[in-house]
Amino acid sequence: MSTDTPSGPSDGPTRAELAARVAELEDELAELEEDIAAAQTQDKMVIVATQGTLDMAYPPLILASTAAAFGYDVTVFHTFWGLEILHEDHASDLSMSAVGNPNLSVPNAVAALPGMDAVTSRMMRQKIDDENVASIEELIETSLDAGVDLQACQMTMDLFDYDETEFFDGVTTGVGAATAFQEMANADVQLLV
């Protein structure tokens, strides 16, 4: 009698098929374990954006999109005036104050004149255009595409009577301070802008 023939009928997989399936499952498990290890070691950055002027809208978005490009898990919590950055109707109209701005070579007595904020905002927008710097809207899109969680503070939404539909698509609305605080506590890097 030959040892190669089975002693009875066999409807199930062969030993070779079972061995191949086990090897396949072991490979899948190894990949999952690598993914879990990578997720657990991914650095976390939380940025709190509190200012909504044209010149202060750029830092949190540039830092967030850059950190995401370097593999960070990034959250930007927008509260009070920082919420204006995420408002679809307001983001393109952000202005900057000429009074007390140390980077403008305008004396405060001149900066306080009526219309100076509009002049400095127009000058800044022109400089942004001339230098081909991304707009606020483009930076928001870039950040969202990179996986940045752009969050809108619920209390500020209530204070300003904003509806969640007024924000850019992809923005996480209705986030409370407790949630933001917990994310900050668990983050490797925390920035207040």
Side-chain angles (χ1 to χ4, degrees), residues 137-159:
E137 297 88 343
E138 290 169 332
L139 284 174
I140 288 171
E141 182 179 339
T142 299
S143 295
L144 290 169
D145 288 347
V148 174
D149 185 11
L150 299 177
Q151 299 179 343
C153 173
Q154 181 63 54
M155 186 195 71
T156 307
M157 288 174 61
D158 294 342
L159 179 67

Side-chain angles (χ1 to χ4, degrees), residues 54-75:
L54 178 61
D55 52 335
M56 291 307 295
Y58 277 88
L61 295 172
I62 291 170
L63 290 168
S65 58
T66 302
F70 279 103
Y72 278 75
D73 175 16
V74 184
T75 298

Side-chain angles (χ1 to χ4, degrees), residues 28-48:
E28 288 179 28
L29 179 61
E31 286 179 27
L32 287 172
E33 288 172 341
E34 286 177 17
D35 290 346
I36 290 169
Q40 290 173 340
T41 60
Q42 186 178 25
D43 290 328
K44 172 80 175 158
M45 174 185 278
V46 174
I47 302 170
V48 179

